Amino acid sequence: MEASSLPAALELVSGGGAGLSPEKRAVLGSSLLLLQRDYRFERVWFWGCIQGVCGAYYIAEGLGPDRAAPRSRLYSLNCVEWSLLPPVTEEMVTQAGRLKGRFQGDPSFEYEYTERNAEDDERLFEDGKEPMIKEEARLVATIEQIDRAVGIIPRGAFVKTPLGSVSENRNFEGLSLTEAKRLSSYFHFTEPVNLKNKTLLEKADLDPSTDFLDSLEHDIPQGSWTVQLEKGGTVVVLRSLLWLGLTFYHVPMTKQYGYVYFGNGEKNLDLPFML
């Protein structure tokens, strides 16, 4: 969610019980603006918080002119001092997916793999050391996994130029209340997968400038999102049951929208059995 509108945005997603203390909100409000200035980001988003056993990671994302470009991710343990996370790689995501259990809250903590594959055994034979992964690498990989799976935007909020770059749509004035209650009105803000598999006939009615992402209506498993009206029916709130703690909000007929994550960084693998 946008750093400049953080207090109001956190108030809109507080229906689930998660949030920040007034002190943390005040500190974040000023430190995120300083972060934007020091790193010369065009925009800064407060991504959320991953709670560990001994501490919590507060996450921010810095954006450049092209909103679809890889984002710079930073974490803080106290909401004041920020550290830049390394760029994520597919190897990090794969390794992090094999780890189970809570985060510790210590970036330098090292995990040992409970299950080793042939590549790990080969590395052990060559180096003589057990394969390890630092919590900092697990942190950035988990953020990437959550962004790919449940990082969403309303339809029409962003436009794709003929050159391929993505920017905010200045003409976007929000979804109507009827549209806002439909999953098809929301897109995953990541590289599309299902869109590439659609036939030319299915793409005929799509606007290439706005319909360039995958919608939520075909997410697997079906029923992994809840849609609710809150604040007297003035706010539409979507919550993910796959990554518990991810909350998206949108105020219909306005430009106010965003998502935030407050959780332990673990995927709900039991979801197919719960539906």
Side-chain angles (χ1 to χ4, degrees):
M1 54 178 59
E2 197 74 45
S4 56
S5 59
L6 189 60
L10 286 172
E11 196 64 38
L12 294 175
V13 299
S14 61
L20 297 172
S21 65
E23 293 81 6
K24 284 283 191 294
R25 292 189 192 187
V27 171
L28 272 175
S30 56
S31 69
L32 289 176
L33 294 176
L34 293 174
L35 185 71
Q36 182 175 353
R37 182 200 67 184
D38 294 342
Y39 283 86
R40 298 182 180 179
F41 294 134
E42 196 165 289
R43 289 285 181 87
V44 168
W45 286 351
F46 176 64
W47 184 87
C49 172
I50 292 180
Q51 187 68 47
V53 176
C54 304
Y57 295 105
Y58 299 92
I59 314 298
E61 292 186 326
L63 290 81
D66 184 359
R67 299 295 189 258
R71 305 165 206 166
S72 298
R73 297 186 171 109
L74 304 97
Y75 74 90
S76 174
L77 300 175
N78 55 12
C79 296
V80 178
E81 299 168 333
W82 295 88
S83 301
L84 193 63
L85 285 165
V88 69
T89 63
E90 287 302 322
E91 184 183 6
M92 283 183 187
V93 174
T94 303
Q95 291 173 341
R98 291 157 54 195
L99 298 175
K100 300 290 186 291
R102 295 279 302 276
F103 279 79
Q104 296 300 307
D106 177 8
S108 60
F109 182 82
E110 293 186 333
Y111 294 90
E112 291 184 13
Y113 296 126
T114 54
E115 300 176 5
R116 291 205 302 262
N117 56 25
E119 186 180 336
D120 296 329
D121 290 334
E122 184 179 343
R123 194 176 301 169
L124 175 62
F125 178 76
E126 291 176 355
D127 302 339
K129 296 180 181 179
E130 288 282 347
M132 312 279 276
I133 178 173
K134 281 193 174 183
E135 182 154 283
E136 187 180 67
R138 183 190 180 190
L139 178 64
V140 70
T142 301
I143 296 169
E144 178 70 15
Q145 282 181 294
I146 294 174
D147 269 342
R148 287 181 188 178
V150 289
I152 60 177
I153 58 169
R155 181 180 183 273
F158 287 80
V159 292
K160 188 173 186 179
T161 67
L163 297 177
S165 62
V166 176
S167 60
E168 275 103 348
N169 184 2
R170 296 181 181 179
N171 297 320
F172 177 69
E173 295 296 338
L175 302 172
S176 68
L177 183 58
T178 305
E179 291 174 327
K181 291 188 287 187
R182 294 200 299 255
L183 285 179
S184 58
S185 298
Y186 301 96
F187 291 156
H188 289 282
F189 197 35
T190 186
E191 189 69 25
V193 177
N194 297 330
L195 186 66
K196 295 177 180 177
N197 299 326
K198 287 189 175 183
T199 64
L200 291 175
L201 189 60
E202 290 174 314
K203 292 180 180 179
D205 296 329
L206 301 181
D207 184 343
S209 65
T210 55
D211 300 318
F212 57 94
L213 300 168
D214 289 333
S215 72
L216 270 59
E217 61 180 332
H218 301 301
D219 278 13
I220 298 174
Q222 288 285 337
S224 61
W225 290 96
T226 66
V227 183
Q228 297 170 310
L229 288 175
E230 298 187 0
K231 306 292 182 183
T234 59
V235 182
V236 178
V237 175
L238 278 70
R239 292 188 174 89
S240 173
L241 301 179
L242 185 62
W243 288 93
L244 296 172
L246 191 287
T247 306
F248 171 90
Y249 76 95
H250 176 48
V251 181
M253 306 306 293
T254 74
K255 296 183 178 183
Q256 298 179 59
Y257 67 88
Y259 68 86
V260 68
Y261 178 81
F262 289 103
N264 58 16
E266 293 187 87
K267 192 175 183 179
N268 182 18
L269 299 176
D270 296 326
L271 178 60
F273 306 101
M274 297 166 63
L275 297 173

